[in-house]
Each structure stands twice: as structure tokens, then as C-alpha cells.
Amino acid sequence: MDTTLTPRQITHDEKKAAEAAFAGRPFNPKWSDAARIVYDGLLAAMGKDARAVDTDDEFEPVEPLA
């Protein structure tokens, strides 16, 4: 039995939802139900503190390698 599935491309709003979840930004209600599933799934996978991401951290610049 072949159980290999061909992955599908994610939609624009699913990508935006994923970016928002990782960045700690709120879900945009204009996005699709599929985007909501992506957003909620990522928050759940990242743990219960995922909604409180601290975006005020300042990062130190890094020199290019070459």
C-alpha cells in the first residue's frame, strides 16, 4: 500500500497566518478557515505562551560571512 501524499502549496493567507503565529501577532479575521487552522495549530505546537511573544527584544547586528 502506497501512503505517500503529495504536499500541496499553502495559500497566501495560510502563509500570512503562519508568519503571524510565529511573530506573536493576532489572527486577521479576513483570512480563510484553513488559515485559522494553520494559525491555531502553530500556537498549540509552540505552547501556551505563544500568544505572548515578546517583540521588544533588540537584536545585535551580525557581520556578513564573506
Side-chain angles (χ1 to χ4, degrees), residues 1-62:
M1 173 189 261
D2 185 17
T3 58
T4 306
L5 297 176
T6 304
R8 69 173 181 83
Q9 295 291 322
I10 64 172
T11 63
H12 179 73
D13 62 335
E14 289 170 335
K15 182 177 179 182
K16 291 295 183 184
E19 291 170 350
F22 280 115
R25 294 189 307 263
F27 181 80
N28 183 338
K30 294 180 182 178
W31 294 334
S32 68
D33 290 339
R36 171 55 87 177
I37 292 169
V38 169
Y39 185 84
D40 289 345
L42 286 170
L43 288 183
M46 292 188 302
K48 57 185 164 184
D49 294 331
R51 289 185 189 263
V53 174
D54 184 10
T55 58
D56 292 335
D57 290 339
E58 292 190 27
F59 296 99
E60 189 173 316
V62 177

